[in-house]
Amino acid sequence: MPCKPELRVSATPDALFHAAATEFATVASQAVKARGTFYVALSGGSTPKALYSVLARDFKESIPWQKVFFFFGDERNVTPDDPDSNYRMANEALLSKVPAQAENVFRIRGELEAAEAARDYERIVRSIFNLQINQVPRFDLILLGLGPDGHTASLFPSTAALNESRRLVVENWVEKFKTHRITFTFPVLNHARVVIFLVSGGDKASMVREVLETKNANLPSQRVCPESGKLLWLVDRAAAALVSGEHAHP
Ligand code: 6PG
């Protein structure tokens, strides 16, 4: 059955990041009300930094940060103080600015050899979610970005991780960067209650249209479709500029 993402277009980047922060807070509040906790996987790259800054500045008092369990959808194979580290970016923009419980922040140990970092993180995820061997963690929210080639997390086109259906976390060799990444696999992304793609800027417009409107384009981002969850695409008008059809932006 084709996936039915919900597309919400914001007029400007500022409006987008505020809308995304509001959605984050709503999902967090619902999760804490229902289960007493909020399990979220943060995304990396550059786009979410503005979202994290809005959360730290405008939502510091309105989210029960001490009940949030932070994970990461992917990480570069670098140390946590490396400028490329997704953890470093999230820690500087958000985690160090809100009363998050340090023991509830689970970073991917990118400083390890990639395969060991993946095994290590899978052990952590299985332990924190108290999973049986064949179970998959159900995150309340997974944040994702969209790469110019249609990748998301570190699930890049033509890479081995795309075919992983059993492991939760894998090391993934990315030839174009000549490096390993560590990433959640599709089973984890597609078991979430809510997945949000956060996309900003005209440079993403053609890929947004391709992912949302070109059937069978065989892009990794097209394979993110929670089997029993909500799929939200939060984009600004520049990123939605080429989208038409039922996704026509206001
Ligand atoms: C990463 C992200 C990656 C990112 C996209 C978009 O580790 O870089 O997981 O999937 O979301 O590449 O990156 P930008 O937000 O920088 O455009």
mmCIF file of all heavy atoms in Angstrom, residues 42-48 73-76 84 86 144-149 151-156 181 198 200 203-204, ligand 1:
data_model
loop_
_atom_site.group_PDB
_atom_site.id
_atom_site.type_symbol
_atom_site.label_atom_id
_atom_site.label_comp_id
_atom_site.label_asym_id
_atom_site.label_seq_id
_atom_site.Cartn_x
_atom_site.Cartn_y
_atom_site.Cartn_z
ATOM 1 N N LEU A 42 17.240 11.839 17.545
ATOM 2 C CA LEU A 42 17.547 13.115 16.912
ATOM 3 C C LEU A 42 18.251 12.889 15.579
ATOM 4 O O LEU A 42 18.937 11.888 15.382
ATOM 5 C CB LEU A 42 18.448 13.945 17.828
ATOM 6 C CG LEU A 42 17.879 14.292 19.207
ATOM 7 C CD1 LEU A 42 18.914 15.093 20.004
ATOM 8 C CD2 LEU A 42 16.570 15.055 19.100
ATOM 9 N N SER A 43 18.072 13.846 14.678
ATOM 10 C CA SER A 43 18.769 13.757 13.385
ATOM 11 C C SER A 43 19.991 14.658 13.402
ATOM 12 O O SER A 43 20.138 15.526 14.263
ATOM 13 C CB SER A 43 17.837 14.176 12.246
ATOM 14 O OG SER A 43 17.345 15.474 12.471
ATOM 15 N N GLY A 44 20.838 14.445 12.416
ATOM 16 C CA GLY A 44 22.088 15.205 12.340
ATOM 17 C C GLY A 44 22.112 16.106 11.130
ATOM 18 O O GLY A 44 21.078 16.513 10.618
ATOM 19 N N GLY A 45 23.313 16.426 10.681
ATOM 20 C CA GLY A 45 23.447 17.366 9.573
ATOM 21 C C GLY A 45 23.286 18.795 10.072
ATOM 22 O O GLY A 45 23.389 19.070 11.269
ATOM 23 N N SER A 46 22.953 19.695 9.155
ATOM 24 C CA SER A 46 22.883 21.118 9.531
ATOM 25 C C SER A 46 21.453 21.602 9.784
ATOM 26 O O SER A 46 21.230 22.463 10.650
ATOM 27 C CB SER A 46 23.521 21.971 8.431
ATOM 28 O OG SER A 46 22.869 21.706 7.195
ATOM 29 N N THR A 47 20.484 21.050 9.060
ATOM 30 C CA THR A 47 19.114 21.588 9.178
ATOM 31 C C THR A 47 18.573 21.581 10.601
ATOM 32 O O THR A 47 18.032 22.598 11.056
ATOM 33 C CB THR A 47 18.157 20.825 8.233
ATOM 34 O OG1 THR A 47 18.631 20.934 6.887
ATOM 35 C CG2 THR A 47 16.740 21.371 8.324
ATOM 36 N N PRO A 48 18.674 20.472 11.328
ATOM 37 C CA PRO A 48 18.001 20.424 12.634
ATOM 38 C C PRO A 48 18.618 21.341 13.690
ATOM 39 O O PRO A 48 17.996 21.579 14.730
ATOM 40 C CB PRO A 48 18.102 18.964 13.056
ATOM 41 C CG PRO A 48 19.245 18.399 12.301
ATOM 42 C CD PRO A 48 19.341 19.171 11.032
ATOM 43 N N GLY A 73 19.687 9.045 15.314
ATOM 44 C CA GLY A 73 19.370 8.192 14.174
ATOM 45 C C GLY A 73 20.603 7.716 13.433
ATOM 46 O O GLY A 73 20.607 6.642 12.816
ATOM 47 N N ASP A 74 21.653 8.514 13.513
ATOM 48 C CA ASP A 74 22.897 8.109 12.876
ATOM 49 C C ASP A 74 24.037 8.982 13.402
ATOM 50 O O ASP A 74 23.824 9.972 14.104
ATOM 51 C CB ASP A 74 22.816 8.209 11.349
ATOM 52 C CG ASP A 74 22.773 9.648 10.857
ATOM 53 O OD1 ASP A 74 22.109 10.471 11.487
ATOM 54 O OD2 ASP A 74 23.434 9.937 9.848
ATOM 55 N N GLU A 75 25.247 8.579 13.062
ATOM 56 C CA GLU A 75 26.422 9.327 13.520
ATOM 57 C C GLU A 75 27.569 9.119 12.543
ATOM 58 O O GLU A 75 27.627 8.089 11.851
ATOM 59 C CB GLU A 75 26.818 8.880 14.923
ATOM 60 C CG GLU A 75 27.958 9.675 15.581
ATOM 61 C CD GLU A 75 27.669 11.158 15.682
ATOM 62 O OE1 GLU A 75 27.900 11.858 14.662
ATOM 63 O OE2 GLU A 75 27.225 11.609 16.744
ATOM 64 N N ARG A 76 28.407 10.078 12.491
ATOM 65 C CA ARG A 76 29.623 9.929 11.690
ATOM 66 C C ARG A 76 30.632 9.132 12.506
ATOM 67 O O ARG A 76 30.553 9.036 13.727
ATOM 68 C CB ARG A 76 30.168 11.317 11.332
ATOM 69 C CG ARG A 76 29.315 12.072 10.305
ATOM 70 C CD ARG A 76 28.079 12.722 10.938
ATOM 71 N NE ARG A 76 27.229 13.392 9.993
ATOM 72 C CZ ARG A 76 27.422 14.621 9.528
ATOM 73 N NH1 ARG A 76 28.483 15.289 9.898
ATOM 74 N NH2 ARG A 76 26.568 15.171 8.669
ATOM 75 N N ASP A 84 32.287 17.373 12.920
ATOM 76 C CA ASP A 84 31.301 16.630 12.116
ATOM 77 C C ASP A 84 30.350 15.787 12.973
ATOM 78 O O ASP A 84 29.440 15.148 12.447
ATOM 79 C CB ASP A 84 32.017 15.711 11.125
ATOM 80 C CG ASP A 84 32.552 16.483 9.926
ATOM 81 O OD1 ASP A 84 32.127 17.647 9.736
ATOM 82 O OD2 ASP A 84 33.390 15.917 9.190
ATOM 83 N N ASN A 86 27.373 14.505 14.987
ATOM 84 C CA ASN A 86 25.961 14.870 15.181
ATOM 85 C C ASN A 86 25.675 15.080 16.665
ATOM 86 O O ASN A 86 24.894 15.957 17.046
ATOM 87 C CB ASN A 86 25.029 13.798 14.606
ATOM 88 C CG ASN A 86 25.025 13.786 13.089
ATOM 89 O OD1 ASN A 86 25.305 14.800 12.452
ATOM 90 N ND2 ASN A 86 24.702 12.648 12.502
ATOM 91 N N LEU A 144 14.231 13.117 10.998
ATOM 92 C CA LEU A 144 15.067 12.769 9.857
ATOM 93 C C LEU A 144 15.292 14.003 8.980
ATOM 94 O O LEU A 144 14.475 14.923 8.956
ATOM 95 C CB LEU A 144 14.409 11.672 9.011
ATOM 96 C CG LEU A 144 14.266 10.291 9.659
ATOM 97 C CD1 LEU A 144 13.457 9.372 8.750
ATOM 98 C CD2 LEU A 144 15.625 9.687 9.965
ATOM 99 N N GLY A 145 16.399 13.985 8.246
ATOM 100 C CA GLY A 145 16.648 15.004 7.232
ATOM 101 C C GLY A 145 16.638 14.345 5.868
ATOM 102 O O GLY A 145 16.528 13.121 5.743
ATOM 103 N N LEU A 146 16.746 15.178 4.838
ATOM 104 C CA LEU A 146 16.763 14.681 3.457
ATOM 105 C C LEU A 146 18.051 15.140 2.792
ATOM 106 O O LEU A 146 18.336 16.338 2.718
ATOM 107 C CB LEU A 146 15.563 15.231 2.679
ATOM 108 C CG LEU A 146 15.503 14.899 1.191
ATOM 109 C CD1 LEU A 146 15.269 13.398 0.966
ATOM 110 C CD2 LEU A 146 14.411 15.731 0.501
ATOM 111 N N GLY A 147 18.822 14.185 2.337
ATOM 112 C CA GLY A 147 20.055 14.547 1.640
ATOM 113 C C GLY A 147 19.789 14.848 0.173
ATOM 114 O O GLY A 147 18.746 14.460 -0.373
ATOM 115 N N PRO A 148 20.706 15.542 -0.485
ATOM 116 C CA PRO A 148 20.517 15.923 -1.903
ATOM 117 C C PRO A 148 20.403 14.723 -2.849
ATOM 118 O O PRO A 148 19.872 14.820 -3.943
ATOM 119 C CB PRO A 148 21.763 16.751 -2.230
ATOM 120 C CG PRO A 148 22.742 16.471 -1.153
ATOM 121 C CD PRO A 148 21.970 16.058 0.056
ATOM 122 N N ASP A 149 20.851 13.556 -2.366
ATOM 123 C CA ASP A 149 20.749 12.340 -3.193
ATOM 124 C C ASP A 149 19.592 11.454 -2.737
ATOM 125 O O ASP A 149 19.461 10.305 -3.175
ATOM 126 C CB ASP A 149 22.063 11.540 -3.096
ATOM 127 C CG ASP A 149 22.386 11.198 -1.641
ATOM 128 O OD1 ASP A 149 21.591 11.571 -0.741
ATOM 129 O OD2 ASP A 149 23.447 10.561 -1.398
ATOM 130 N N HIS A 151 19.093 10.453 0.373
ATOM 131 C CA HIS A 151 19.383 9.654 1.580
ATOM 132 C C HIS A 151 18.705 10.261 2.785
ATOM 133 O O HIS A 151 18.331 11.442 2.798
ATOM 134 C CB HIS A 151 20.895 9.521 1.797
ATOM 135 C CG HIS A 151 21.546 10.691 2.460
ATOM 136 N ND1 HIS A 151 22.196 11.693 1.765
ATOM 137 C CD2 HIS A 151 21.653 11.023 3.767
ATOM 138 C CE1 HIS A 151 22.683 12.579 2.614
ATOM 139 N NE2 HIS A 151 22.359 12.208 3.826
ATOM 140 N N THR A 152 18.589 9.437 3.822
ATOM 141 C CA THR A 152 18.140 9.916 5.122
ATOM 142 C C THR A 152 18.867 9.129 6.198
ATOM 143 O O THR A 152 19.312 7.994 5.918
ATOM 144 C CB THR A 152 16.613 9.826 5.287
ATOM 145 O OG1 THR A 152 16.202 10.558 6.449
ATOM 146 C CG2 THR A 152 16.146 8.382 5.373
ATOM 147 N N ALA A 153 19.007 9.697 7.368
ATOM 148 C CA ALA A 153 19.923 9.140 8.362
ATOM 149 C C ALA A 153 21.246 8.907 7.622
ATOM 150 O O ALA A 153 21.709 9.794 6.908
ATOM 151 C CB ALA A 153 19.350 7.898 9.021
ATOM 152 N N SER A 154 21.822 7.705 7.747
ATOM 153 C CA SER A 154 22.985 7.425 6.892
ATOM 154 C C SER A 154 22.688 6.268 5.966
ATOM 155 O O SER A 154 23.525 5.396 5.698
ATOM 156 C CB SER A 154 24.234 7.154 7.746
ATOM 157 O OG SER A 154 24.721 8.377 8.292
ATOM 158 N N LEU A 155 21.439 6.264 5.498
ATOM 159 C CA LEU A 155 20.967 5.260 4.532
ATOM 160 C C LEU A 155 21.096 5.892 3.141
ATOM 161 O O LEU A 155 20.165 6.530 2.642
ATOM 162 C CB LEU A 155 19.526 4.856 4.850
ATOM 163 C CG LEU A 155 19.340 4.211 6.240
ATOM 164 C CD1 LEU A 155 17.877 4.176 6.623
ATOM 165 C CD2 LEU A 155 19.950 2.810 6.277
ATOM 166 N N PHE A 156 22.261 5.721 2.565
ATOM 167 C CA PHE A 156 22.580 6.348 1.283
ATOM 168 C C PHE A 156 22.254 5.423 0.123
ATOM 169 O O PHE A 156 22.277 4.192 0.290
ATOM 170 C CB PHE A 156 24.084 6.701 1.234
ATOM 171 C CG PHE A 156 24.469 7.877 2.090
ATOM 172 C CD1 PHE A 156 24.673 7.715 3.458
ATOM 173 C CD2 PHE A 156 24.622 9.150 1.540
ATOM 174 C CE1 PHE A 156 25.018 8.797 4.255
ATOM 175 C CE2 PHE A 156 24.972 10.224 2.334
ATOM 176 C CZ PHE A 156 25.171 10.053 3.690
ATOM 177 N N ARG A 181 29.614 5.299 8.136
ATOM 178 C CA ARG A 181 28.684 5.968 9.021
ATOM 179 C C ARG A 181 28.081 4.882 9.904
ATOM 180 O O ARG A 181 28.176 3.685 9.588
ATOM 181 C CB ARG A 181 27.557 6.645 8.218
ATOM 182 C CG ARG A 181 28.011 7.821 7.338
ATOM 183 C CD ARG A 181 28.131 9.072 8.149
ATOM 184 N NE ARG A 181 28.340 10.275 7.371
ATOM 185 C CZ ARG A 181 27.356 11.097 6.972
ATOM 186 N NH1 ARG A 181 26.088 10.783 7.235
ATOM 187 N NH2 ARG A 181 27.616 12.200 6.302
ATOM 188 N N LEU A 198 12.390 16.875 8.262
ATOM 189 C CA LEU A 198 12.510 18.326 8.381
ATOM 190 C C LEU A 198 13.407 18.814 7.252
ATOM 191 O O LEU A 198 14.591 18.453 7.199
ATOM 192 C CB LEU A 198 13.121 18.696 9.738
ATOM 193 C CG LEU A 198 13.286 20.177 10.040
ATOM 194 C CD1 LEU A 198 11.919 20.856 10.182
ATOM 195 C CD2 LEU A 198 14.121 20.383 11.301
ATOM 196 N N SER A 200 14.520 22.124 4.614
ATOM 197 C CA SER A 200 14.490 23.571 4.395
ATOM 198 C C SER A 200 15.390 23.948 3.225
ATOM 199 O O SER A 200 16.459 23.359 3.051
ATOM 200 C CB SER A 200 14.992 24.295 5.655
ATOM 201 O OG SER A 200 15.124 25.681 5.429
ATOM 202 N N ASP A 203 17.451 24.381 -2.368
ATOM 203 C CA ASP A 203 18.374 23.373 -2.926
ATOM 204 C C ASP A 203 17.825 21.961 -2.737
ATOM 205 O O ASP A 203 18.284 21.019 -3.381
ATOM 206 C CB ASP A 203 19.764 23.497 -2.276
ATOM 207 C CG ASP A 203 19.708 23.297 -0.765
ATOM 208 O OD1 ASP A 203 18.731 23.771 -0.143
ATOM 209 O OD2 ASP A 203 20.617 22.648 -0.212
ATOM 210 N N LYS A 204 16.824 21.821 -1.865
ATOM 211 C CA LYS A 204 16.222 20.491 -1.648
ATOM 212 C C LYS A 204 14.941 20.304 -2.473
ATOM 213 O O LYS A 204 14.347 19.222 -2.476
ATOM 214 C CB LYS A 204 15.885 20.322 -0.160
ATOM 215 C CG LYS A 204 17.081 20.423 0.781
ATOM 216 C CD LYS A 204 17.906 19.151 0.768
ATOM 217 C CE LYS A 204 19.133 19.249 1.664
ATOM 218 N NZ LYS A 204 18.851 19.227 3.100
HETATM 219 C C1 6PG B 1 23.679 13.363 8.775
HETATM 220 C C2 6PG B 1 22.197 13.203 8.665
HETATM 221 C C3 6PG B 1 21.792 13.250 7.227
HETATM 222 C C4 6PG B 1 21.193 14.617 7.014
HETATM 223 C C5 6PG B 1 21.025 14.912 5.549
HETATM 224 C C6 6PG B 1 20.589 16.376 5.358
HETATM 225 O O1 6PG B 1 24.299 12.703 9.616
HETATM 226 O O2 6PG B 1 24.194 14.217 8.028
HETATM 227 O O3 6PG B 1 21.731 12.128 9.292
HETATM 228 O O4 6PG B 1 20.850 12.277 6.865
HETATM 229 O O5 6PG B 1 19.922 14.675 7.657
HETATM 230 O O6 6PG B 1 22.274 14.707 4.907
HETATM 231 O O7 6PG B 1 21.638 17.165 5.857
HETATM 232 P P1 6PG B 1 21.478 18.761 5.940
HETATM 233 O O8 6PG B 1 20.433 19.032 6.968
HETATM 234 O O9 6PG B 1 22.841 19.239 6.384
HETATM 235 O O10 6PG B 1 21.080 19.236 4.573
#
